[in-house]
Amino acid sequence: MSAEMQNYIDEAEQALLHTYNRYQVVFDRGDGVYLYDMDGKKYLDFVSGIAVFALGYHHKAYNDALKAQIDKIIHTSNYYYNAPAIEAAKKLKKISGMDRVFFTNSGAEAIEGAIKTARKYGFLKDGRTDHEIIAMNHSFHGRTMGALSVTGNPHYRDAFEPMIGNIRFANLNDFDSVMAQVTDKTCAILFETVQGEGGIHPATEEFMKKVRALCDERDILMMLDEIQCGMGRTGTMFAWQRFGVKPDVMTTAKALGCGVPVGAFLMTEKVGKNSLAAGDHGTTYGGNPLACAAICKVIELFEEQDVLANVNKVGAYLEKRLDELVAAFSCVETRRGVGLLQGLVFDRPVGDIIKAALGRGLVLINAGTSIIRFVPPLVITKEHVDDMITILRESIMETEGEQK
Ligand SMILES: *Cc1c(COP(=O)(O)O)cnc(C)c1O
Protein backbone atom coordinates (compact mmCIF):
# COMPACT_ATOMS: atom_id res chain seq x y z
CA MET A 1 0.00 0.00 0.00
CA SER A 2 1.26 3.48 -0.85
CA ALA A 3 2.10 5.92 1.95
CA GLU A 4 -0.61 8.18 0.57
CA MET A 5 -3.33 5.54 0.91
CA GLN A 6 -2.11 4.55 4.39
CA ASN A 7 -2.21 8.21 5.37
CA TYR A 8 -5.85 8.53 4.31
CA ILE A 9 -6.74 5.47 6.34
CA ASP A 10 -4.97 6.87 9.40
CA GLU A 11 -6.79 10.17 8.99
CA ALA A 12 -10.11 8.36 8.63
CA GLU A 13 -9.51 6.65 11.96
CA GLN A 14 -9.04 10.10 13.55
CA ALA A 15 -12.10 11.71 11.99
CA LEU A 16 -14.86 9.20 11.39
CA LEU A 17 -16.87 7.72 14.22
CA HIS A 18 -15.71 4.17 14.64
CA THR A 19 -18.97 2.36 13.84
CA TYR A 20 -17.40 0.12 11.20
CA ASN A 21 -14.33 -2.09 11.20
CA ARG A 22 -13.26 -1.08 7.75
CA TYR A 23 -11.18 -3.05 5.28
CA GLN A 24 -7.79 -1.48 4.62
CA VAL A 25 -8.48 0.05 1.24
CA VAL A 26 -9.51 3.44 -0.13
CA PHE A 27 -11.62 3.01 -3.25
CA ASP A 28 -11.22 5.81 -5.71
CA ARG A 29 -13.25 5.01 -8.82
CA GLY A 30 -15.25 2.31 -10.53
CA ASP A 31 -15.73 1.07 -14.05
CA GLY A 32 -18.24 -1.64 -14.94
CA VAL A 33 -17.87 -4.44 -12.39
CA TYR A 34 -14.41 -3.27 -11.32
CA LEU A 35 -13.26 -0.96 -8.55
CA TYR A 36 -9.90 0.79 -8.39
CA ASP A 37 -8.17 1.88 -5.21
CA MET A 38 -6.08 5.04 -4.80
CA ASP A 39 -2.96 3.20 -5.91
CA GLY A 40 -4.64 2.11 -9.14
CA LYS A 41 -5.05 -1.54 -8.07
CA LYS A 42 -8.02 -3.20 -9.78
CA TYR A 43 -10.66 -5.25 -7.94
CA LEU A 44 -13.49 -7.43 -9.21
CA ASP A 45 -16.52 -6.30 -7.23
CA PHE A 46 -18.98 -8.90 -5.92
CA VAL A 47 -20.50 -6.52 -3.38
CA SER A 48 -21.64 -3.49 -5.44
CA GLY A 49 -21.78 -1.31 -2.33
CA ILE A 50 -24.02 -3.96 -0.73
CA ALA A 51 -26.55 -4.69 -3.46
CA VAL A 52 -26.68 -1.08 -4.61
CA PHE A 53 -24.78 -0.47 -7.81
CA ALA A 54 -26.77 -2.93 -9.95
CA LEU A 55 -25.88 -1.43 -13.32
CA GLY A 56 -22.14 -1.31 -12.77
CA TYR A 57 -19.97 1.73 -12.19
CA HIS A 58 -19.39 4.62 -14.57
CA HIS A 59 -22.49 3.83 -16.61
CA LYS A 60 -22.60 6.57 -19.21
CA ALA A 61 -26.36 6.85 -19.73
CA TYR A 62 -26.95 6.82 -15.96
CA ASN A 63 -24.27 9.43 -15.29
CA ASP A 64 -25.51 11.64 -18.11
CA ALA A 65 -29.07 11.55 -16.77
CA LEU A 66 -27.85 12.67 -13.34
CA LYS A 67 -25.65 15.41 -14.77
CA ALA A 68 -28.57 16.75 -16.82
CA GLN A 69 -30.81 16.80 -13.75
CA ILE A 70 -28.14 18.58 -11.67
CA ASP A 71 -28.08 21.34 -14.26
CA LYS A 72 -31.88 21.69 -14.10
CA ILE A 73 -32.76 21.39 -10.40
CA ILE A 74 -31.57 19.17 -7.56
CA HIS A 75 -34.16 19.86 -4.92
CA THR A 76 -37.58 21.33 -4.35
CA SER A 77 -39.88 20.70 -1.41
CA ASN A 78 -42.50 17.97 -1.41
CA TYR A 79 -45.03 20.82 -1.08
CA TYR A 80 -44.62 21.22 -4.86
CA TYR A 81 -44.80 18.76 -7.74
CA ASN A 82 -41.72 17.87 -9.76
CA ALA A 83 -41.58 15.90 -12.99
CA PRO A 84 -38.86 13.33 -12.05
CA ALA A 85 -40.82 12.27 -8.93
CA ILE A 86 -44.02 11.84 -10.93
CA GLU A 87 -42.22 9.81 -13.60
CA ALA A 88 -40.38 7.73 -11.01
CA ALA A 89 -43.61 6.97 -9.13
CA LYS A 90 -45.36 5.90 -12.36
CA LYS A 91 -42.47 3.64 -13.31
CA LEU A 92 -42.26 2.14 -9.84
CA LYS A 93 -46.00 1.44 -9.84
CA LYS A 94 -45.65 -0.30 -13.18
CA ILE A 95 -42.81 -2.62 -12.17
CA SER A 96 -44.31 -3.44 -8.77
CA GLY A 97 -48.04 -3.52 -9.46
CA MET A 98 -48.52 -1.42 -6.30
CA ASP A 99 -50.64 1.74 -6.36
CA ARG A 100 -49.15 4.41 -4.08
CA VAL A 101 -45.55 5.48 -3.55
CA PHE A 102 -43.80 7.46 -0.83
CA PHE A 103 -40.13 8.23 -1.49
CA THR A 104 -37.60 8.17 1.36
CA ASN A 105 -33.83 8.73 1.62
CA SER A 106 -32.89 5.26 2.82
CA GLY A 107 -34.07 1.77 3.51
CA ALA A 108 -34.54 2.32 7.23
CA GLU A 109 -36.79 5.29 6.53
CA ALA A 110 -38.89 3.19 4.17
CA ILE A 111 -39.36 0.71 7.05
CA GLU A 112 -40.31 3.54 9.41
CA GLY A 113 -42.95 4.57 6.89
CA ALA A 114 -44.27 1.02 6.61
CA ILE A 115 -44.55 0.76 10.41
CA LYS A 116 -46.46 4.05 10.59
CA THR A 117 -48.70 2.90 7.75
CA ALA A 118 -49.55 -0.30 9.65
CA ARG A 119 -50.26 1.51 12.90
CA LYS A 120 -52.46 4.11 11.22
CA TYR A 121 -54.32 1.40 9.29
CA GLY A 122 -55.08 -0.34 12.58
CA PHE A 123 -56.01 2.92 14.29
CA LEU A 124 -58.52 3.86 11.59
CA LYS A 125 -60.19 0.47 11.94
CA ASP A 126 -60.94 0.53 15.66
CA GLY A 127 -59.51 3.72 17.18
CA ARG A 128 -57.09 1.72 19.34
CA THR A 129 -53.39 2.46 19.69
CA ASP A 130 -52.18 -0.92 20.94
CA HIS A 131 -51.83 -2.73 17.63
CA GLU A 132 -49.06 -5.25 17.18
CA ILE A 133 -46.67 -6.01 14.34
CA ILE A 134 -45.23 -9.48 13.85
CA ALA A 135 -41.64 -9.49 12.52
CA MET A 136 -39.17 -12.35 12.10
CA ASN A 137 -36.17 -13.60 14.04
CA HIS A 138 -32.87 -13.10 12.17
CA SER A 139 -34.36 -10.25 10.17
CA PHE A 140 -32.67 -6.97 9.38
CA HIS A 141 -34.63 -3.81 8.65
CA GLY A 142 -32.22 -0.97 9.43
CA ARG A 143 -30.68 1.05 12.26
CA THR A 144 -33.23 3.69 13.23
CA MET A 145 -35.28 3.01 16.36
CA GLY A 146 -38.41 1.81 14.58
CA ALA A 147 -36.47 -0.33 12.11
CA LEU A 148 -34.34 -1.74 14.95
CA SER A 149 -37.52 -2.60 16.83
CA VAL A 150 -38.60 -4.98 14.06
CA THR A 151 -35.06 -6.35 13.55
CA GLY A 152 -35.02 -9.79 15.13
CA ASN A 153 -31.41 -9.85 16.24
CA PRO A 154 -30.42 -8.92 19.82
CA HIS A 155 -26.88 -8.10 18.65
CA TYR A 156 -28.14 -4.93 16.94
CA ARG A 157 -30.65 -4.00 19.65
CA ASP A 158 -29.43 -4.77 23.15
CA ALA A 159 -27.65 -1.50 23.96
CA PHE A 160 -30.51 0.60 22.64
CA GLU A 161 -33.49 -0.74 24.56
CA PRO A 162 -36.27 0.07 25.02
CA MET A 163 -37.50 -0.51 21.48
CA ILE A 164 -40.88 0.74 20.26
CA GLY A 165 -43.58 -1.43 21.78
CA ASN A 166 -45.95 -4.12 20.56
CA ILE A 167 -43.61 -6.00 18.25
CA ARG A 168 -43.71 -9.81 18.36
CA PHE A 169 -41.29 -12.19 16.69
CA ALA A 170 -41.84 -15.40 14.75
CA ASN A 171 -39.62 -17.55 12.52
CA LEU A 172 -39.42 -17.17 8.75
CA ASN A 173 -40.92 -20.20 6.95
CA ASP A 174 -42.51 -21.47 10.16
CA PHE A 175 -46.15 -20.59 9.74
CA ASP A 176 -47.14 -22.12 13.09
CA SER A 177 -44.72 -19.75 14.83
CA VAL A 178 -46.50 -16.85 13.13
CA MET A 179 -49.92 -18.16 14.15
CA ALA A 180 -48.67 -18.41 17.72
CA GLN A 181 -48.04 -14.64 17.73
CA VAL A 182 -51.28 -13.53 16.08
CA THR A 183 -53.75 -11.76 18.38
CA ASP A 184 -56.80 -9.59 17.76
CA LYS A 185 -54.39 -6.65 17.94
CA THR A 186 -52.15 -7.76 15.05
CA CYS A 187 -52.11 -5.10 12.33
CA ALA A 188 -49.20 -6.29 10.16
CA ILE A 189 -46.78 -9.12 9.44
CA LEU A 190 -43.42 -7.88 8.18
CA PHE A 191 -40.57 -9.86 6.65
CA GLU A 192 -37.86 -9.81 3.99
CA THR A 193 -38.81 -11.97 1.02
CA VAL A 194 -35.20 -13.16 1.19
CA GLN A 195 -33.48 -12.43 4.49
CA GLY A 196 -30.20 -10.70 3.60
CA GLU A 197 -28.04 -9.72 6.59
CA GLY A 198 -29.55 -12.60 8.57
CA GLY A 199 -27.83 -15.15 6.33
CA ILE A 200 -29.55 -15.31 2.91
CA HIS A 201 -32.71 -17.22 3.84
CA PRO A 202 -35.37 -17.15 1.10
CA ALA A 203 -39.02 -17.33 2.13
CA THR A 204 -40.72 -20.44 0.77
CA GLU A 205 -43.72 -20.36 -1.53
CA GLU A 206 -45.78 -22.22 1.05
CA PHE A 207 -44.97 -19.65 3.75
CA MET A 208 -45.73 -16.72 1.43
CA LYS A 209 -49.10 -18.18 0.48
CA LYS A 210 -50.12 -19.09 4.02
CA VAL A 211 -49.21 -15.63 5.33
CA ARG A 212 -51.15 -14.05 2.46
CA ALA A 213 -54.23 -16.14 3.23
CA LEU A 214 -53.99 -15.35 6.95
CA CYS A 215 -53.66 -11.63 6.24
CA ASP A 216 -56.69 -11.70 3.92
CA GLU A 217 -58.77 -13.58 6.44
CA ARG A 218 -57.97 -11.29 9.39
CA ASP A 219 -57.46 -7.96 7.60
CA ILE A 220 -53.78 -7.87 8.57
CA LEU A 221 -51.26 -6.08 6.33
CA MET A 222 -48.66 -8.28 4.66
CA MET A 223 -45.55 -6.08 4.48
CA LEU A 224 -42.51 -7.24 2.52
CA ASP A 225 -39.06 -5.70 2.87
CA GLU A 226 -37.53 -5.83 -0.61
CA ILE A 227 -34.72 -3.40 0.16
CA GLN A 228 -31.96 -5.94 -0.51
CA CYS A 229 -33.70 -8.70 -2.48
CA GLY A 230 -35.73 -6.41 -4.74
CA MET A 231 -34.86 -4.47 -7.90
CA GLY A 232 -34.12 -7.51 -10.01
CA ARG A 233 -31.64 -9.24 -7.75
CA THR A 234 -33.51 -12.55 -7.61
CA GLY A 235 -34.51 -12.58 -11.28
CA THR A 236 -37.88 -10.80 -10.99
CA MET A 237 -38.17 -7.07 -10.33
CA PHE A 238 -39.28 -7.86 -6.79
CA ALA A 239 -38.63 -11.18 -5.11
CA TRP A 240 -42.29 -11.71 -4.15
CA GLN A 241 -43.28 -11.67 -7.82
CA ARG A 242 -42.13 -15.29 -8.17
CA PHE A 243 -44.87 -16.50 -5.86
CA GLY A 244 -48.18 -15.28 -7.25
CA VAL A 245 -48.94 -13.40 -4.05
CA LYS A 246 -48.83 -9.66 -3.59
CA PRO A 247 -48.06 -7.72 -0.41
CA ASP A 248 -50.20 -4.87 0.89
CA VAL A 249 -47.13 -2.77 1.67
CA MET A 250 -43.56 -3.15 0.41
CA THR A 251 -40.28 -1.34 0.88
CA THR A 252 -37.44 -0.83 -1.58
CA ALA A 253 -34.11 1.05 -1.50
CA LYS A 254 -30.48 -0.05 -2.19
CA ALA A 255 -30.46 -0.63 -5.99
CA LEU A 256 -33.47 1.62 -6.54
CA GLY A 257 -31.25 4.65 -7.19
CA CYS A 258 -28.07 2.71 -7.97
CA GLY A 259 -25.98 4.91 -5.68
CA VAL A 260 -28.10 7.99 -5.16
CA PRO A 261 -29.49 7.61 -1.63
CA VAL A 262 -33.18 6.86 -2.06
CA GLY A 263 -35.81 4.39 -0.93
CA ALA A 264 -39.56 4.05 -1.04
CA PHE A 265 -42.49 2.38 0.59
CA LEU A 266 -45.39 1.39 -1.59
CA MET A 267 -48.89 0.20 -0.90
CA THR A 268 -52.10 -0.88 -2.54
CA GLU A 269 -54.88 1.63 -3.15
CA LYS A 270 -56.88 0.12 -0.31
CA VAL A 271 -54.08 0.71 2.19
CA GLY A 272 -53.36 4.14 0.71
CA LYS A 273 -56.96 5.19 1.30
CA ASN A 274 -57.00 3.83 4.85
CA SER A 275 -53.70 4.85 6.38
CA LEU A 276 -51.39 7.86 6.08
CA ALA A 277 -53.11 11.09 5.11
CA ALA A 278 -52.01 14.71 4.66
CA GLY A 279 -49.92 15.77 7.64
CA ASP A 280 -49.24 12.21 8.84
CA HIS A 281 -45.81 11.75 7.29
CA GLY A 282 -43.17 13.75 5.47
CA THR A 283 -39.54 14.20 4.53
CA THR A 284 -37.50 17.17 3.34
CA TYR A 285 -35.32 15.36 0.82
CA GLY A 286 -37.29 12.19 0.07
CA GLY A 287 -38.03 11.87 -3.62
CA ASN A 288 -36.21 15.01 -4.65
CA PRO A 289 -35.68 15.60 -8.39
CA LEU A 290 -32.09 14.32 -8.42
CA ALA A 291 -32.92 11.07 -6.61
CA CYS A 292 -35.98 10.52 -8.77
CA ALA A 293 -34.08 11.21 -12.00
CA ALA A 294 -31.80 8.37 -10.88
CA ILE A 295 -34.75 6.04 -10.26
CA CYS A 296 -36.25 6.84 -13.67
CA LYS A 297 -33.00 6.10 -15.45
CA VAL A 298 -32.36 2.94 -13.46
CA ILE A 299 -35.77 1.48 -14.32
CA GLU A 300 -35.37 2.49 -17.98
CA LEU A 301 -31.95 0.86 -18.19
CA PHE A 302 -33.19 -2.30 -16.49
CA GLU A 303 -35.65 -2.66 -19.37
CA GLU A 304 -33.31 -1.56 -22.16
CA GLN A 305 -30.50 -3.87 -21.06
CA ASP A 306 -32.84 -6.73 -20.08
CA VAL A 307 -31.14 -6.96 -16.71
CA LEU A 308 -33.58 -9.61 -15.47
CA ALA A 309 -32.59 -12.02 -18.25
CA ASN A 310 -28.96 -11.58 -17.28
CA VAL A 311 -29.71 -12.20 -13.59
CA ASN A 312 -31.52 -15.43 -14.43
CA LYS A 313 -28.76 -16.66 -16.70
CA VAL A 314 -25.73 -15.65 -14.64
CA GLY A 315 -27.51 -16.37 -11.33
CA ALA A 316 -28.01 -20.00 -12.34
CA TYR A 317 -24.36 -20.21 -13.34
CA LEU A 318 -23.20 -18.64 -10.05
CA GLU A 319 -25.26 -21.23 -8.15
CA LYS A 320 -23.63 -24.03 -10.07
CA ARG A 321 -20.10 -22.73 -9.50
CA LEU A 322 -20.75 -22.12 -5.79
CA ASP A 323 -22.19 -25.63 -5.42
CA GLU A 324 -18.87 -26.92 -6.79
CA LEU A 325 -17.13 -25.24 -3.85
CA VAL A 326 -19.53 -26.92 -1.43
CA ALA A 327 -18.52 -30.24 -2.98
CA ALA A 328 -14.80 -29.42 -3.05
CA PHE A 329 -14.07 -27.97 0.40
CA SER A 330 -14.84 -29.53 3.76
CA CYS A 331 -15.09 -26.07 5.37
CA VAL A 332 -17.92 -25.03 3.01
CA GLU A 333 -21.17 -26.40 4.37
CA THR A 334 -23.86 -25.23 2.00
CA ARG A 335 -25.11 -22.58 -0.39
CA ARG A 336 -28.36 -20.63 -0.08
CA GLY A 337 -29.96 -17.95 -2.21
CA VAL A 338 -31.82 -16.91 -5.31
CA GLY A 339 -30.42 -15.34 -8.49
CA LEU A 340 -27.60 -12.92 -7.73
CA LEU A 341 -28.28 -12.92 -3.99
CA GLN A 342 -26.30 -15.90 -2.75
CA GLY A 343 -24.64 -17.01 0.47
CA LEU A 344 -21.94 -19.59 1.02
CA VAL A 345 -22.06 -21.01 4.53
CA PHE A 346 -18.73 -21.94 6.14
CA ASP A 347 -18.01 -23.93 9.30
CA ARG A 348 -15.78 -21.07 10.52
CA PRO A 349 -15.59 -17.25 10.52
CA VAL A 350 -15.03 -15.94 6.99
CA GLY A 351 -13.21 -12.70 7.82
CA ASP A 352 -9.79 -14.05 6.88
CA ILE A 353 -11.01 -15.42 3.56
CA ILE A 354 -12.56 -12.07 2.67
CA LYS A 355 -9.31 -10.27 3.56
CA ALA A 356 -7.28 -12.74 1.49
CA ALA A 357 -9.63 -12.20 -1.46
CA LEU A 358 -9.28 -8.43 -1.15
CA GLY A 359 -5.51 -8.83 -1.31
CA ARG A 360 -5.99 -10.80 -4.52
CA GLY A 361 -8.24 -8.16 -6.07
CA LEU A 362 -11.71 -9.51 -5.25
CA VAL A 363 -14.26 -7.63 -3.14
CA LEU A 364 -16.55 -9.88 -1.07
CA ILE A 365 -18.70 -9.28 2.00
CA ASN A 366 -20.02 -11.42 4.83
CA ALA A 367 -23.55 -11.86 6.19
CA GLY A 368 -23.02 -12.76 9.82
CA THR A 369 -19.69 -14.26 10.88
CA SER A 370 -19.62 -17.47 8.87
CA ILE A 371 -21.36 -16.67 5.59
CA ILE A 372 -19.87 -15.06 2.48
CA ARG A 373 -22.54 -13.10 0.64
CA PHE A 374 -22.52 -12.59 -3.12
CA VAL A 375 -24.36 -9.45 -4.25
CA PRO A 376 -22.54 -8.42 -7.45
CA PRO A 377 -23.67 -5.83 -9.97
CA LEU A 378 -26.56 -7.39 -11.92
CA VAL A 379 -24.66 -6.92 -15.18
CA ILE A 380 -21.87 -9.42 -14.44
CA THR A 381 -21.11 -12.16 -16.94
CA LYS A 382 -20.22 -15.85 -16.56
CA GLU A 383 -16.58 -14.93 -17.15
CA HIS A 384 -16.68 -12.63 -14.13
CA VAL A 385 -18.14 -15.50 -12.09
CA ASP A 386 -15.29 -17.75 -13.24
CA ASP A 387 -12.71 -15.12 -12.27
CA MET A 388 -14.37 -14.71 -8.88
CA ILE A 389 -14.42 -18.47 -8.24
CA THR A 390 -10.72 -18.77 -9.11
CA ILE A 391 -9.74 -16.07 -6.62
CA LEU A 392 -12.13 -17.37 -3.96
CA ARG A 393 -10.66 -20.88 -4.24
CA GLU A 394 -7.15 -19.50 -3.83
CA SER A 395 -8.28 -17.43 -0.87
CA ILE A 396 -9.90 -20.41 0.86
CA MET A 397 -6.72 -22.45 0.35
CA GLU A 398 -4.51 -19.58 1.52
CA THR A 399 -6.46 -19.54 4.78
CA GLU A 400 -6.02 -23.29 5.17
CA GLY A 401 -9.39 -24.44 3.93
CA GLU A 402 -8.75 -28.09 3.07
CA GLN A 403 -10.00 -29.68 -0.09
CA LYS A 404 -12.02 -32.83 0.38
C1 LIG B 1 -29.97 -2.51 3.98
C2 LIG B 1 -31.29 -2.94 4.45
C3 LIG B 1 -32.14 -2.09 5.18
C4 LIG B 1 -31.71 -0.73 5.64
O1 LIG B 1 -31.44 0.14 4.59
P1 LIG B 1 -30.56 1.47 4.86
O2 LIG B 1 -30.61 2.18 3.55
O3 LIG B 1 -29.20 1.02 5.25
O4 LIG B 1 -31.24 2.21 5.95
C5 LIG B 1 -33.40 -2.55 5.51
N1 LIG B 1 -33.82 -3.77 5.14
C6 LIG B 1 -33.03 -4.61 4.44
C7 LIG B 1 -33.56 -5.95 4.05
C8 LIG B 1 -31.75 -4.24 4.09
O5 LIG B 1 -30.95 -5.09 3.43
Side-chain angles (χ1 to χ4, degrees):
M1 184 187 305
S2 66
E4 196 194 1
M5 186 147 96
Q6 185 62 57
N7 190 40
Y8 264 105
I9 291 172
D10 295 344
E11 284 181 344
E13 291 307 323
Q14 296 308 313
L16 296 171
L17 189 65
H18 197 153
T19 53
Y20 284 89
N21 289 318
R22 292 181 166 85
Y23 294 100
Q24 298 298 294
V25 61
V26 183
F27 286 127
D28 184 47
R29 66 186 182 90
D31 193 13
V33 300
Y34 296 99
L35 286 168
Y36 295 83
D37 70 18
M38 283 187 59
D39 297 344
K41 180 176 163 185
K42 182 179 177 181
Y43 301 80
L44 177 60
D45 179 17
F46 264 67
V47 176
S48 51
I50 313 199
V52 169
F53 232 112
L55 294 165
Y57 303 98
H58 200 244
H59 190 297
K60 186 169 185 320
Y62 172 83
N63 288 3
D64 286 348
L66 287 188
K67 287 175 197 167
Q69 188 60 47
I70 286 171
D71 284 337
K72 275 177 122 178
I73 190 166
I74 294 176
H75 179 79
T76 70
S77 162
N78 279 312
Y79 280 106
Y80 315 101
Y81 299 100
N82 76 78
I86 299 160
E87 277 306 313
K90 273 166 55 186
K91 284 181 162 36
L92 205 43
K93 280 177 59 169
K94 189 166 159 239
I95 60 172
S96 67
M98 307 299 284
D99 301 313
R100 296 277 164 182
V101 183
F102 185 102
F103 291 114
T104 65
N105 309 289
S106 68
E109 281 173 80
I111 295 293
E112 298 291 333
I115 293 171
K116 282 180 73 175
T117 300
R119 285 190 164 182
K120 183 77 192 287
Y121 184 85
F123 177 76
L124 288 179
K125 264 200 306 197
D126 58 18
R128 282 166 35 178
T129 53
D130 57 353
H131 293 95
E132 296 169 349
I133 296 174
I134 300 175
M136 300 297 142
N137 291 312
H138 307 296
S139 61
F140 180 84
H141 297 292
R143 303 293 197 148
T144 54
M145 288 308 302
L148 264 189
S149 301
V150 288
T151 290
N153 187 336
H155 166 73
Y156 295 116
R157 304 160 44 121
D158 277 355
F160 307 102
E161 297 281 349
M163 298 287 117
I164 69 166
N166 292 27
I167 311 292
R168 291 165 165 262
F169 287 95
N171 294 322
L172 186 75
N173 294 334
D174 178 353
F175 185 71
D176 291 341
S177 78
V178 174
M179 281 308 290
Q181 299 301 328
V182 174
T183 72
D184 60 356
K185 296 195 281 184
T186 308
C187 65
I189 300 173
L190 167 70
F191 57 97
E192 300 153 81
T193 319
V194 182
Q195 286 188 338
E197 307 294 316
I200 322 294
H201 291 278
T204 61
E205 178 164 359
E206 187 193 353
F207 185 74
M208 295 284 285
K209 291 193 160 149
K210 283 186 170 169
V211 170
R212 181 67 271 174
L214 168 70
C215 288
D216 287 340
E217 193 189 303
R218 308 259 187 127
D219 195 13
I220 295 169
L221 299 182
M222 179 177 183
M223 306 205 298
L224 294 179
D225 181 347
E226 290 264 340
I227 291 168
Q228 186 157 169
C229 61
M231 287 306 290
R233 186 150 291 280
T234 67
T236 49
M237 271 323 282
F238 296 101
W240 57 264
Q241 289 167 333
R242 292 191 299 138
F243 297 109
V245 299
K246 187 175 155 184
D248 302 296
V249 177
M250 64 163 269
T251 58
T252 171
K254 289 199 164 87
L256 178 63
C258 275
V260 173
V262 66
F265 60 99
L266 293 83
M267 59 193 75
T268 60
E269 189 66 16
K270 181 186 169 204
V271 180
K273 280 216 169 74
N274 297 289
S275 61
L276 303 179
D280 278 342
H281 199 54
T283 163
T284 298
Y285 284 131
N288 85 9
L290 181 65
C292 287
I295 296 173
C296 288
K297 202 64 198 177
V298 167
I299 295 175
E300 260 172 58
L301 290 169
F302 262 71
E303 283 164 14
E304 262 172 55
Q305 296 183 204
D306 205 353
V307 168
L308 294 182
N310 193 62
V311 172
N312 286 308
K313 182 177 74 183
V314 181
Y317 186 68
L318 175 62
E319 284 189 4
K320 179 177 148 256
R321 297 295 327 256
L322 291 176
D323 284 341
E324 287 169 20
L325 296 183
V326 178
F329 289 96
S330 48
C331 60
V332 186
E333 289 180 341
T334 188
R335 174 196 62 77
R336 286 196 292 264
V338 195
L340 291 177
L341 175 54
Q342 297 286 339
L344 208 51
V345 184
F346 286 71
D347 67 358
R348 61 190 69 176
V350 293
D352 287 344
I353 300 172
I354 292 174
K355 278 183 201 148
L358 195 66
R360 293 168 181 271
L362 170 66
V363 187
L364 293 171
I365 193 102
N366 61 308
T369 47
S370 62
I371 299 170
I372 297 182
R373 171 171 34 162
F374 302 85
V375 280
L378 302 183
V379 294
I380 56 158
T381 63
K382 290 182 180 177
E383 290 69 38
H384 296 132
V385 171
D386 289 337
D387 292 347
M388 183 278 289
I389 293 284
T390 302
I391 301 176
L392 178 55
R393 269 182 168 274
E394 291 165 1
S395 306
I396 296 172
M397 290 193 299
E398 183 186 322
T399 52
E400 285 159 31
E402 278 169 30
Q403 281 183 277
K404 276 181 189 161

